[in-house]
Amino acid sequence: MNAAIKEPAVLLVDDEEDLLFSTSLILRREGFANVLTQSDSRRVAATLEEQPVAVLVLDMTMPHLSGLDLLRHVKTIHPGLPVVMMTAVNDVETAVACMQAGADNYLVKPVDRARLIATVRTCYDLGRTRAELDRLRHQLSTGTLRDEKAFRDIITASSRMRSIFFYLESVAPSRQPVLITGETGTGKELVARAIHTLSGLTGPFVAVNLAGLDDTMFSDTLFGHQRGAFTGADRPREGLIGRAAGGTLFLDEIGELSLSSQVKLLRLLQEGEYLPLGSDVSSTSDARIVAATHADLKAGRDSGRFRPDLYYRLCAHQVALPPLRERPEDIPLLLEYFLDKAAQALNKPRPIVPAELSHYLAAYRFPGNIRELESLVRDALARHSGRILSLEPFLAVIGGNLVGSSHGVPSEGHCSACFWGDRFPTLKDTEEYLIAEALRLAGGNQRLAASYLGITRQALNKRLSRASS
C-alpha cells in the first residue's frame, strides 16, 4: 500500500511482541494493507488520535492498563469504533463484562486463523462504514468540502451534484472499486479523475475505453504480453494495469465487456492478480479500479449479460450522475464556459449571447448531455459572423425534442384527457388548455411555446388572436 493513502488501520494491542508480529503478518497476507501494532496499552489513546483506525483488537491482560479498562476508555472517546477482545481465559463472566462495556466481538486464544480473519474483516468493514457515514454527516451539516480544487473541472451549480461531491470525498480514500453510472456525456471521466485526486494515490490515472475490445484485445491492452506470446509480439508489453501501479485504472464502458473478459477482471478485483499473455506466472496489481457505464448493469445482471459476482464487486461504491436536463441551473454556467473555450479555439471574438438562449436550452432534452452542449456551442460559433450570437443553429437542433413534451401511456381505465374532473373536454377546451400550458412552460416565449405545440410561431399567433377576439 502507498504510504500516502489514508486507509483506516487495524490496530493490534498486546504486550506479547511475538504475537503482535505473527497476527499482523496473517492480516497483511489477507489484504489488510495498514496494520498497526502497539505493545504499550498507555499509548493506544494517542495512536487513535493520530490516525484513522477502523478496528481495534485488544488483549485482555496487559500491564499498566488492562484490556477491559482500555475498552471502557476507548468507547467513551470513540463510541463507534469496533473493538475485538482477545483473552487466554475462556470465562463467561469476562466475556459478558466485555460485551456490556461495548466490545463488538470476543476471541479466545489460541485464536483459529480463519475465525480471526473473518472477525477482523467484519469489524473492519463495519468501522469503515461508520467512519464514512460520520464524515458524510459532518460535511453535509457544515456544507463545506474538504478539497474544492478536486472538483474544479466540473462546472456546476446543482445541489444534486454538490451532494455527489460530498459522497465522493467520503469514499475516495477507500481502496474499494467505484462504479459511476450516467447517460453519455454527463462527465463520468471527470468524476473518476476527481476520485483519483481525492484518493491520495501517488501513481498515475490511466483511462481505457473497453467498448469494442474483444477478449484477446482486452487481455493484451490491460494485462500486457511477453515477448513471443503471439505472432508479431517481438517485444514485451507492460499493459495498462502495470502502468497504473499505485494509482487508478479507469475502465470506461464496463457494460460492453464480454463474459470471458469479465472472468479475468473479476480475478483481478478479488485476488489482485492477473496473467499477462504468454506468461505462466501471475503478476500482482495495487491499482484502484474505477469503472463507468451508461448501460443498466443491473438489467444486464438479471438477463445474464453481466456476471453477478463482478457486478457486486464493482458496486462497493456507486455514483449516479444526473443528466443535464435534470440540472438546468448548470446550463448558463456551461454555456459561458464553452463559449469562451470555443472563441479561443476558433480565434474569434466572443459574441453577445441572446438572453432567451438559456431558456431554449433549458427546455431541450439534451440526449448527448454536456458533450452535446459543447458541440452545439462550438458549431454555432463556427457559423457565427455577427455581433450577436444567432439562435438558428440551436433551434435547428432543438426542434421539438423538449423536456416534458413526451407523454406516458395512460393507465387502463383512466381518462388522461379529462383535465376538468369527469367531463371529457371539447376540442376548443383542449386547444386553449394546451396553449396555456405551453406558454407557461416556455415562460411566455411564444416561439418556444410553438415548439412545444409542434406548430409555427405564426400559427400560434393566429390561434391566440382568434381566442382574444
Side-chain angles (χ1 to χ4, degrees):
M1 174 182 163
N2 192 302
I5 302 172
K6 301 297 183 184
E7 181 81 2
V10 177
L11 177 57
L12 306 176
V13 183
D14 199 308
D15 60 320
E16 296 181 49
E17 294 281 1
D18 291 345
L19 190 63
L20 283 177
F21 177 76
S22 60
T23 306
S24 64
L25 197 61
I26 289 172
L27 295 178
R28 287 194 176 96
R29 284 176 175 171
E30 287 302 315
F32 294 96
N34 192 8
V35 182
L36 306 175
T37 60
Q38 180 56 260
S39 59
D40 187 342
S41 57
R42 296 170 298 181
R43 289 284 306 148
V44 171
T47 304
L48 292 176
E49 294 300 326
E50 290 168 0
Q51 55 192 305
V53 172
V55 57
L56 177 63
V57 182
L58 280 181
D59 182 35
M60 193 69 184
T61 307
M62 294 183 289
H64 309 300
L65 196 60
S66 74
L68 187 57
D69 290 339
L70 187 53
L71 168 65
R72 292 181 176 127
H73 176 72
V74 167
K75 281 295 179 178
T76 303
I77 309 299
H78 306 280
L81 176 64
V83 179
V84 179
M85 300 300 294
M86 293 178 69
T87 179
V89 180
N90 190 5
D91 178 60
V92 175
E93 290 185 3
T94 304
V96 171
C98 289
M99 302 308 279
Q100 288 178 337
D104 293 79
N105 217 315
Y106 184 88
L107 299 174
V108 178
K109 296 178 180 177
V111 182
D112 175 74
R113 185 176 183 277
R115 189 177 178 192
L116 168 71
I117 294 166
T119 302
V120 172
R121 191 178 300 285
T122 300
C123 290
Y124 184 88
D125 291 343
L126 176 65
R128 194 177 56 194
T129 302
R130 285 176 180 170
E132 288 175 1
L133 287 173
D134 288 343
R135 192 161 49 238
L136 197 55
R137 284 193 197 100
H138 175 72
Q139 290 176 346
L140 288 172
S141 64
T142 58
T144 56
L145 292 165
R146 288 199 311 274
D147 187 359
E148 291 274 1
K149 290 181 180 176
F151 303 102
R152 62 188 169 195
D153 293 331
I154 304 175
I155 298 168
T156 182
S158 163
S159 58
R160 287 179 65 183
M161 291 299 294
R162 189 80 178 172
S163 297
I164 288 173
F165 291 172
F166 284 121
Y167 176 72
L168 295 178
E169 277 201 334
S170 178
V171 303
S174 162
R175 299 301 303 275
Q176 297 296 313
V178 180
L179 178 63
I180 307 168
T181 59
E183 294 180 7
T184 297
T186 48
K188 294 187 284 293
E189 182 165 344
L190 289 178
V191 168
R193 288 183 181 278
I195 293 171
H196 174 69
T197 301
L198 292 164
S199 69
L201 294 168
T202 55
F205 177 88
V206 178
V208 57
N209 191 318
L210 301 178
L213 294 184
D214 61 22
D215 187 49
T216 303
M217 283 293 292
F218 169 81
S219 298
D220 191 35
T221 303
L222 265 70
F223 305 148
H225 62 248
Q226 290 193 333
R227 182 181 178 185
F230 51 84
T231 304
D234 53 357
R235 63 182 64 182
R237 182 183 184 185
E238 182 183 30
L240 297 183
I241 289 178
R243 283 178 50 195
T248 300
L249 181 65
F250 175 54
L251 304 176
D252 199 5
E253 302 297 353
I254 189 80
E256 305 298 318
L257 204 58
S258 68
L259 285 170
S260 52
S261 297
Q262 290 175 29
V263 175
K264 297 172 182 173
L265 181 58
L266 178 63
R267 185 179 182 222
L268 176 69
L269 289 171
Q270 286 181 330
E271 311 294 338
E273 295 181 348
Y274 61 98
L275 204 60
L277 291 176
S279 174
D280 296 327
V281 180
S282 295
S283 299
T284 59
S285 169
D286 63 353
R288 202 257 185 92
I289 301 295
V290 177
T293 180
H294 70 278
D296 186 348
L297 281 195
K298 189 176 179 182
R301 179 203 63 186
D302 294 342
S303 66
R305 287 182 287 105
F306 204 85
R307 291 181 63 94
D309 41 11
L310 179 58
Y311 172 79
Y312 292 118
R313 275 279 172 182
L314 290 171
C315 289
H317 302 298
Q318 296 184 63
V319 180
L321 299 181
L324 184 56
R325 60 181 169 278
E326 293 181 10
R327 30 188 281 217
E329 63 271 42
D330 286 348
I331 289 177
L333 295 175
L334 291 165
L335 178 60
E336 293 295 321
Y337 173 75
F338 289 139
L339 270 175
D340 289 339
K341 188 177 175 183
Q344 187 175 6
L346 297 171
N347 196 24
K348 282 188 166 185
R350 190 182 187 284
I352 297 173
V353 180
E356 61 266 42
L357 179 55
S358 290
H359 210 125
Y360 281 113
L361 294 175
Y364 182 43
R365 296 189 63 81
F366 273 112
N369 291 286
I370 300 169
R371 189 178 298 135
E372 183 183 9
L373 174 59
E374 181 175 12
S375 299
L376 266 176
V377 172
R378 178 182 281 265
D379 182 63
L381 200 61
R383 298 170 186 270
H384 164 77
S385 58
R387 192 170 65 88
I388 300 175
L389 187 65
S390 171
L391 294 175
E392 294 308 322
F394 296 95
L395 297 178
V397 173
I398 292 172
N401 194 4
L402 304 175
V403 176
S405 61
S406 61
H407 299 282
V409 179
S411 59
E412 187 177 354
H414 173 69
C415 174
S416 60
C418 295
F419 312 120
W420 301 273
D422 295 333
R423 182 171 72 84
F424 195 88
T426 64
L427 285 176
K428 185 172 183 297
D429 290 337
T430 306
E431 180 177 294
E432 290 176 352
Y433 174 82
L434 292 177
I435 289 174
E437 278 296 290
L439 286 168
R440 185 183 65 78
L441 287 172
N445 185 306
Q446 293 188 7
R447 187 169 186 171
L448 182 56
S451 297
Y452 273 119
L453 294 165
I455 59 177
T456 65
R457 183 176 180 177
Q458 291 74 18
L460 175 60
N461 279 331
K462 285 182 181 178
R463 284 171 168 78
L464 289 171
S465 301
R466 191 171 60 208
S468 61
S469 61

